[in-house]
Amino acid sequence: MQVKTKAIVISSLKFQEKSLIVKCFTLSSGLKSYFVRDAFSSRKASQKIAYFQPFSILEIEAIHKNKGTLENFKEIKTAVPFQTIHTDVVKSTMVMFLSEMLHYSIQEEEKNEQLFLFLETALTWLDHHDEISNFHLILLIEITKYLGFYPEVSNVDLPFFEMNEGVFTLFQNGNVLSEHETNLFKKLLELKFDNNQKVFHVVERQVLLKVIIDYYSLHLEGFKKPKSLEILKEVFS
């Protein structure tokens, strides 16, 4: 089946000497993996490889056989030409980390149009703003709405957050955050991208990042801690 759709690049892996395997989250079909033959061998190789940087938003035409095998591109062009995301060291480190998080988080090959549109809007915001210290934290919490494990906030006034059930509780037993961690977490749940990005100190962001990664680990089977986490910590230290 020939498909024309937008696609967000989640990851790209070099295959043998000349080719790439590219995982994309598509608007039309959810998660898809593509084989890019001779990506490194043509005179326009650098131009071709540039399409497949983390979180590039593409307009693609592709052949989808939908048999669980690698699909093939027919045409590729940039849908959203980013100005800063792949050239600013802080932003590029952030999107490398976030794309790795999504690589382990989006596991189903099914359409999720609302998640795609949210990611597209969020990445466009990132490209146009400089105060971005909490962007990755807000994005990861918001994504849990689309993955099915956003915290239950009906009892948000209670002092502790229980990680397994994703609820606020009166008692500090089980897999529960400390009162300090819970207060930071509550503050994060209220944030939007346009809020003051300096609301947390560096150490507080590190605490929240650990909480979020632990939360993802509990709720997503097969989730792995991103290898780029340490690089992100260095950039934001």
Side-chain angles (χ1 to χ4, degrees):
M1 179 174 66
Q2 186 163 325
V3 175
K4 186 174 183 179
T5 183
K6 281 185 175 179
I8 298 173
V9 175
I10 302 298
S11 65
S12 58
L13 178 68
K14 191 173 184 180
F15 179 76
Q16 295 180 346
E17 288 301 311
K18 299 179 180 179
S19 302
L20 276 177
I21 295 173
V22 180
K23 182 183 284 189
C24 292
F25 183 55
T26 69
L27 180 59
S28 69
S29 313
L31 203 61
K32 287 287 181 184
S33 293
Y34 300 89
F35 183 67
V36 184
R37 190 183 303 279
D38 297 333
F40 295 91
S41 60
S42 70
R43 283 182 297 173
K44 294 185 177 180
S46 60
Q47 182 180 344
K48 184 183 286 189
I49 295 163
Y51 284 128
F52 305 121
Q53 295 181 81
F55 279 173
S56 292
I57 303 178
L58 308 175
E59 184 80 47
I60 67 169
E61 285 188 39
I63 304 296
H64 286 177
K65 295 180 181 177
N66 299 317
K67 293 181 178 179
T69 56
L70 295 174
E71 314 288 15
N72 292 284
F73 294 117
K74 284 195 71 179
E75 267 191 54
I76 309 168
K77 62 181 180 181
T78 300
V80 180
F82 291 137
Q83 304 301 312
T84 64
I85 281 180
H86 295 129
T87 55
D88 180 289
V89 66
V90 175
K91 292 182 181 181
S92 61
T93 303
M94 190 177 277
V95 298
M96 178 173 64
F97 164 75
L98 289 170
S99 64
E100 200 176 349
M101 285 288 291
L102 286 190
H103 176 77
Y104 294 120
S105 303
I106 303 175
Q107 298 162 346
E108 299 296 326
E109 281 196 29
E110 57 186 36
K111 182 177 179 179
N112 192 334
E113 187 173 322
Q114 293 306 310
L115 175 54
F116 185 97
L117 295 173
F118 167 72
L119 288 171
E120 182 179 36
T121 301
L123 291 169
T124 302
W125 185 93
L126 177 65
D127 191 49
H128 289 92
H129 290 80
D130 296 322
E131 294 293 332
I132 60 163
S133 302
N134 301 316
F135 176 84
H136 57 310
L137 303 175
I138 299 169
L139 184 89
L140 289 172
I141 282 295
E142 288 294 311
I143 284 173
T144 65
K145 291 179 179 177
Y146 305 96
L147 298 180
F149 57 99
Y150 186 75
E152 169 57 56
V153 294
S154 56
N155 292 315
V156 72
D157 292 334
L158 296 179
F160 304 108
F161 183 68
E162 204 286 317
M163 299 272 275
N164 289 326
E165 299 298 324
V167 298
F168 290 90
T169 178
L170 193 57
F171 307 104
Q172 194 171 14
N173 55 16
N175 199 352
V176 173
L177 299 183
S178 70
E179 193 163 3
H180 173 64
E181 291 169 333
T182 300
N183 286 333
L184 291 177
F185 194 61
K186 288 178 182 180
K187 191 183 293 187
L188 174 60
L189 291 177
E190 295 175 354
L191 286 187
K192 303 299 180 190
F193 293 131
D194 283 323
N195 291 145
N196 177 16
Q197 292 282 321
K198 296 178 181 177
V199 66
F200 297 120
H201 299 301
V202 172
V203 174
E204 291 175 330
R205 280 197 295 272
Q206 301 286 18
V207 168
L208 282 167
L209 188 56
K210 182 183 183 304
V211 166
I212 291 170
I213 289 173
D214 289 346
Y215 191 52
Y216 269 64
S217 299
L218 284 168
H219 290 271
L220 293 171
E221 190 175 344
F223 179 82
K224 296 179 182 177
K225 185 183 291 187
K227 294 176 182 176
S228 55
L229 177 61
E230 295 306 316
I231 302 171
L232 183 76
K233 286 180 179 177
E234 283 184 28
V235 168
F236 278 96
S237 62

